Amino acid sequence: VQLQASGGGLVQPGGSLRLSCAVSGSIFSINAMGWYRQTTGKQRELVAEITSGGNTNYADSVKDRFTISRDNAKNTVYLQMTSLKPEDTAVYYCKTRTVVPITLYEYVYWGQGTQVTVSS
């Protein structure tokens, strides 16, 4: 199973970005999907997550600014980020809880990370 994240970049404060993370490989089903972020010297933190049923959970710092969504037909999770602040600068990682065929075991997979920089 591979996760390919994209959409990061440099944006001015108040701007918007949309991150995407496509999941490929041997997949039976995908349960929760989420986005985390990490800055140098700090632990990776949850930004937002979405269950297979569409229930969402957000970090307080991004509520009302970020929206997580998923396209189950494309095995892709998105993070729409608006009203970006310099403190949103970080490497953003996608994460999935994926059930694989045959064994039907659930595994946690991480994407490679995409840099988001908010600066004027």
Side-chain angles (χ1 to χ4, degrees):
V1 175
Q2 298 83 38
L3 278 63
Q4 182 65 48
S6 61
L10 173 64
V11 64
Q12 292 187 343
S16 299
L17 278 177
R18 188 193 194 207
L19 305 184
S20 300
C21 178
V23 186
S24 62
S26 186
I27 300 166
F28 179 80
S29 64
I30 301 175
N31 294 330
M33 307 178 84
W35 288 95
Y36 289 69
R37 66 187 180 187
Q38 188 171 24
T39 55
T40 303
K42 292 189 177 182
Q43 287 190 334
R44 195 171 295 185
E45 63 175 6
L46 172 70
V47 176
E49 59 185 358
I50 183 168
T51 67
S52 57
N55 293 319
T56 58
N57 180 43
Y58 294 92
D60 288 342
S61 59
V62 307
K63 280 181 181 177
D64 301 323
R65 299 189 298 121
F66 291 9
T67 302
I68 189 170
S69 61
R70 60 191 285 173
D71 184 332
N72 292 327
K74 296 181 178 179
N75 290 333
T76 299
V77 61
Y78 305 97
L79 185 67
Q80 179 67 50
M81 304 184 293
T82 64
S83 302
L84 281 160
K85 305 175 181 180
E87 50 264 43
D88 294 318
T89 296
V91 178
Y92 284 70
Y93 298 89
C94 55
K95 170 188 169 183
T96 69
R97 294 188 176 275
T98 301
V99 178
V100 299
I102 311 300
T103 63
L104 302 185
Y105 288 167
E106 180 188 84
Y107 294 95
V108 174
Y109 295 96
W110 291 90
Q112 84 283 11
T114 183
Q115 177 71 47
V116 172
T117 302
V118 185
S119 175
S120 55

